[in-house]
Amino acid sequence: AKDHATRIQAASRNSSGHSSYINLKATKAVAIIIGVYLILQTPYNVYQVLTVIDKSIVKAAGRYNLREWLFYLASWHSVASPIIYGFFNKNLRDSVVAIVCRCKAMRFGTLTNSSILT
C-alpha cells in the first residue's frame, strides 16, 4: 500500500506540471483571441457610439465610407478566430494538413480509391 501511495503521489506531481502547461497554453490562446476581438471590434463600436452623440460625424465620414470599412474590419474577427484556434490546437492543425494532403493527392491522381475511404 505504501508503494502504491508513492506511485500516486509521483503521478500527481508529473500531471500537475503538465496540466499547468496546458492551462497556460489555453490562457494564452484566450488572451490572444480576446485581444484580436478588441482590436477588430472596438473601432466600429466607438464609431457607432460617436454617431449617436454627434450626427455631424456621419456626414463627414460618409465621404470615405468609414462605417463600411470599420464594419469590414470588425467582420474579420470571424476569419481570425479559427486561424488563432488552429495555431494553438495541434489536433486541428494535423487534421487540416491531412485534408490538404489528401486533396492534393486526389488532384494529381496519386490517391487510390481504396485509400480515400481510410
Side-chain angles (χ1 to χ4, degrees):
K2 189 175 184 179
D3 183 45
H4 183 66
T6 306
R7 281 187 279 155
I8 290 174
Q9 286 175 349
S12 69
R13 273 188 248 122
N14 290 340
S15 67
S16 68
H18 183 67
S19 67
S20 66
Y21 171 74
I22 291 173
N23 288 338
L24 178 65
K25 192 172 179 182
T27 303
K28 283 169 65 174
V30 169
I32 290 173
I33 289 170
I34 290 172
V36 168
Y37 174 82
L38 290 173
I39 289 168
L40 295 177
Q41 291 284 336
T42 301
Y44 180 74
N45 293 331
V46 167
Y47 173 80
Q48 290 295 90
V49 169
L50 289 177
T51 57
V52 170
I53 294 171
D54 186 8
K55 300 286 185 192
S56 65
I57 292 175
V58 176
K59 293 176 187 172
R63 290 182 295 199
Y64 303 108
N65 297 327
L66 183 62
R67 182 182 180 276
E68 287 79 12
W69 282 103
L70 292 175
F71 178 76
Y72 295 141
L73 180 68
S75 299
W76 271 95
H77 178 258
S78 299
V79 174
S81 288
I83 293 170
I84 295 167
Y85 280 121
F87 181 75
F88 281 98
N89 188 333
K90 184 172 176 9
N91 291 335
L92 182 62
R93 277 195 316 261
D94 293 344
S95 298
V96 169
V97 168
I99 290 170
V100 169
C101 289
R102 281 194 175 172
C103 288
K104 282 184 179 180
M106 288 176 65
R107 184 175 179 194
F108 294 113
T110 57
L111 189 65
T112 64
N113 287 337
S114 62
S115 63
I116 292 174
L117 300 175
T118 58

